[in-house]
Amino acid sequence: MAVQRIDHPLVQHKITLMRDKMTGPKEFRELVAETAMLMCYEATRDLPTKEIEIATPMGVAKSKIISGRKLAFVPILRAGLGMMDGLMTLVPAAKVGHIGLFRDTKSHEPVEYYVKLPEDIAERDVIVVDPMLATGHSAVQAIRILKQAGVANVKFMCIIASPEGIAAMQAAYPEVDIYCGAEDQGLNADAYIVPGMGDAGDRIFGTK
Ligand code: URA
């Protein structure tokens, strides 16, 4: 498995703005969507293409289109929803599945509360998205659900990852590529990423 850190200056600049605790929900939301779109550009770099002939106003061009398996995005609820505007702008034909997980207060393990996947999910390449890869438990569970649904090719995309989250993913699914904008120091006692950018869901939806 590869961890690919997207170090494009635009991505890094937007992450800095998102980290700022003074950034309000409107700007934060826009930054999450824009960053997701830029990161998606890298995460889809290996999509296969084929050459076709296309009539231009001036003649016939041999030009490439995306070929092969179709894409689906799967945001982990709720913060993953914040990334969807940017992703759907870039790949409007993609289908979208949703996986909702909450953390059991005693076991701290993720519990499924909502799963709705496209019927043809097993025929699609899937990119799971969540802005924060913290403990990795939710990401691992989401990928388990997708594998059980027959998905063969899955990637994971987050804006900020912790070393613990990356390690958990590597242990469970070494074949899954991780795309992240930054890898931070680690987790605090409440499993928040430090320095991170706080609770991404709360900041996207203004719930705090
Ligand atoms: N989820 C968040 O939104 N932020 C963190 O730091 C960790 C998990």
Side-chain angles (χ1 to χ4, degrees):
M1 182 209 63
V3 179
Q4 194 174 328
R5 185 166 167 267
I6 314 285
D7 60 0
H8 191 287
L10 284 170
V11 171
Q12 295 305 311
H13 183 84
K14 288 175 193 295
I15 289 175
T16 301
L17 297 177
M18 282 185 278
R19 288 187 189 279
D20 186 344
K21 65 180 181 185
M22 300 310 288
T23 298
K26 178 177 183 294
E27 196 188 348
F28 190 85
R29 230 177 356 253
E30 290 166 357
L31 288 163
V32 169
E34 290 162 4
T35 304
M37 183 158 63
L38 292 166
M39 292 181 68
C40 182
Y41 181 79
E42 285 300 330
T44 53
R45 185 175 278 285
D46 60 353
L47 286 180
T49 57
K50 68 176 178 193
E51 197 169 72
I52 60 164
E53 289 194 345
I54 193 92
T56 78
M58 306 301 288
V60 175
K62 286 188 193 301
S63 199
K64 287 179 181 170
I65 56 166
I66 292 168
S67 69
R69 290 155 67 85
K70 294 196 162 53
L71 261 186
F73 295 114
V74 176
I76 299 178
L77 305 180
R78 109 193 119 135
L81 289 176
M83 300 169 80
M84 290 313 301
D85 272 0
L87 301 176
M88 294 309 285
T89 300
L90 207 59
V91 194
K95 288 190 177 174
V96 182
H98 293 88
I99 294 182
L101 304 167
F102 69 85
R103 192 154 61 135
D104 183 87
T105 47
K106 284 196 185 125
S107 68
H108 293 163
E109 289 302 316
V111 180
E112 258 177 64
Y113 67 87
Y114 186 75
V115 176
K116 182 79 181 173
L117 302 173
E119 277 181 3
D120 61 351
I121 192 78
E123 279 97 63
R124 289 177 177 261
D125 293 341
V126 176
I127 303 180
V128 178
V129 300
D130 194 345
M132 310 299 275
L133 177 62
T135 61
H137 295 161
S138 297
V140 166
Q141 175 74 359
I143 289 162
R144 184 174 303 133
I145 291 166
L146 291 166
K147 296 260 180 191
Q148 282 166 358
V151 175
N153 186 11
V154 54
K155 295 176 177 174
F156 182 81
M157 194 167 92
C158 61
I159 296 176
I160 299 182
S162 71
E164 294 91 330
I166 290 173
M169 284 278 281
Q170 282 178 325
Y173 294 109
E175 73 281 13
V176 173
D177 288 331
I178 299 174
Y179 295 82
C180 69
E183 185 181 338
D184 275 11
Q185 282 158 29
L187 302 177
N188 69 11
D190 297 320
Y192 279 90
I193 299 178
V194 180
M197 55 186 181
D199 190 306
D202 279 342
R203 295 192 68 189
I204 290 165
F205 296 109
T207 42
K208 208 167 183 186

